[in-house]
Amino acid sequence: EVQLVESGGGLVKPGGSLRLSCAASGFTFRTYTMQWLRQAPGKGLEWLASISSVSTYIYYADSVKGRFTVSRDNADDSLFLEMNTLRADDTAVYYCARVRNDYGDYPEYWGQGTLVTVSS
Amino acid sequence: IQMTQSPASVSASVGDRLTITCRASQGVSGYLGWFQQRPGKAPELLIYGASNLQSGVPSRFSASGSGTDFTLTISSLQPEDFATYFCLQVNTFPLTFGGGTKVQMK
């Protein structure tokens, strides 16, 4: 069974930093592209970043480019999101997702999400 | 690429046939997915490749389209289908979602 478990969320002050983790199990992690997505309270979904299986290709949304960094550890089946210079509008539930490995980068399996609150 | 969904919300009854549309600001070929999200839960992939049913998704869900115009149809609404639906284009980075369609009980 595919499982994705995010951790590392919490309350952080504007301008602060946070590192999210996503522990993967139930599939061969090193062969899948992974993504981070988020959803602000009461709002829609926003794709943030994609990282290919061996980190060859990395893409970011404009809203986080230069502030957030996605990485992965295939030896440990883990995905990370380093978030710097956080702003109030980064407040959201953050999800990691595994994509389908065919037909395009559709987030097929999602974690339960971790809440990040940016507030003074 | 901007993704525009309509309607933003709709009231319907169990058994109704429902269609949601998603329009892309430029062509995305067939790289369009649909997701269902229930309150407090993570989204679930329903459709990929514009018209392919994800494994485990009931056959009352169907979808079509190509290029810029796409539709998701629920043939006969069931109680568990009252949720919010999102489209997502994966043709071009940055990937972009539609604003969502909330399906409420009439």
Side-chain angles (χ1 to χ4, degrees):
Chain A
E1 178 194 3
V2 172
Q3 284 204 324
L4 299 167
V5 180
E6 303 93 339
S7 60
L11 176 63
V12 60
K13 288 181 168 51
S17 298
L18 213 54
R19 189 190 198 213
L20 304 184
S21 300
C22 173
S25 61
F27 64 101
T28 307
F29 179 77
R30 66 179 184 275
T31 65
Y32 284 88
T33 292
M34 299 295 293
Q35 296 178 343
W36 285 101
L37 307 100
R38 72 183 177 185
Q39 187 169 36
K43 302 296 184 183
L45 296 164
E46 181 182 16
W47 167 85
L48 298 180
S50 290
I51 182 168
S52 61
S53 59
V54 292
S55 306
T56 305
Y57 301 104
I58 295 176
Y59 302 95
Y60 295 99
D62 289 345
S63 60
V64 303
K65 198 176 298 182
R67 299 189 301 125
F68 290 12
T69 302
V70 61
S71 61
R72 62 192 296 162
D73 182 345
N74 286 347
D76 201 33
D77 293 351
S78 295
L79 177 72
F80 305 101
L81 186 68
E82 187 77 39
M83 305 187 295
N84 298 314
T85 321
L86 283 161
R87 312 184 300 225
D89 63 358
D90 293 318
T91 294
V93 174
Y94 285 72
Y95 296 100
C96 68
R98 190 200 87 173
V99 307
R100 287 186 63 99
N101 258 2
D102 57 6
Y103 291 98
D105 285 359
Y106 301 95
E108 181 179 24
Y109 291 96
W110 300 58
Q112 84 289 348
T114 187
L115 177 63
V116 172
T117 303
V118 184
S119 175
S120 55
Chain B
I1 298 174
Q2 311 291 331
M3 306 301 294
T4 303
Q5 268 182 255
S6 61
S9 66
V10 60
S11 295
S13 301
V14 172
D16 284 354
R17 181 182 179 88
L18 186 69
T19 297
I20 298 167
T21 66
C22 182
R23 175 164 288 175
S25 61
Q26 62 190 77
V28 298
S29 186
Y31 291 98
L32 192 285
W34 290 96
F35 295 81
Q36 177 192 67
Q37 187 177 32
R38 298 188 176 102
K41 300 293 186 183
E44 295 181 11
L45 178 64
L46 299 175
I47 300 286
Y48 64 93
S51 61
N52 300 289
L53 204 64
Q54 174 73 353
S55 176
V57 174
S59 59
R60 63 181 178 274
F61 291 91
S62 63
S64 64
S66 183
T68 60
D69 293 301
F70 301 87
T71 60
L72 172 71
T73 297
I74 309 172
S75 60
S76 177
L77 265 173
Q78 298 302 300
E80 61 268 29
D81 300 338
F82 292 95
T84 301
Y85 295 84
F86 296 92
C87 61
L88 168 69
Q89 71 81 18
V90 299
N91 184 68
T92 306
F93 287 102
L95 309 186
T96 44
F97 285 91
T101 297
K102 187 172 184 178
V103 179
Q104 304 175 101
M105 200 172 297
K106 188 181 288 184

